[in-house]
Amino acid sequence: MIKTVSRPRDASGFVVLPRRWVVERSLAWMMHARRHARDYERLPQHSESLITWAAITLMTRRLSRKGATPSWPRKPVSAET
């Protein structure tokens, strides 16, 4: 679900908006894919598929890097098996 966050009315200058940095950081990671630097695609479906491809590439690199640990707890291995 997408929720729009608006700037406070009485604020002046820079104001940190809640959770906006997560979106901006994610978009910055996506821009590392060269095709996203410009709007080359004619159809929105093509652009959406390339964004999905960039996200898959980013996640597989993170999962396959050396020293990556799973986020779930591992079951201890018993010596009997």
Side-chain angles (χ1 to χ4, degrees):
M1 184 169 112
I2 297 175
K3 183 180 176 184
T4 305
V5 178
S6 60
R7 182 181 165 89
R9 294 177 193 229
D10 58 343
S12 64
F14 178 75
V15 177
V16 177
L17 299 176
R19 302 292 291 175
R20 184 173 177 161
W21 65 272
V22 175
V23 174
E24 290 177 359
R25 180 191 61 196
S26 301
L27 290 175
W29 287 335
M30 295 292 177
M31 293 303 287
H32 284 235
R34 194 171 54 136
R35 285 189 72 145
H36 299 302
R38 298 280 186 270
D39 192 15
Y40 292 123
E41 310 309 319
R42 292 184 184 208
L43 298 176
Q45 294 87 357
H46 292 171
S47 183
E48 181 181 353
S49 65
L50 288 172
I51 290 170
T52 304
W53 188 259
I56 290 169
T57 304
L58 180 67
M59 288 294 114
T60 53
R61 283 183 185 165
R62 286 184 181 176
L63 289 172
S64 65
R65 71 180 168 204
K66 199 174 195 177
T69 57
S71 59
W72 63 88
R74 291 187 174 186
K75 294 180 182 178
V77 179
S78 63
E80 297 173 3
T81 58

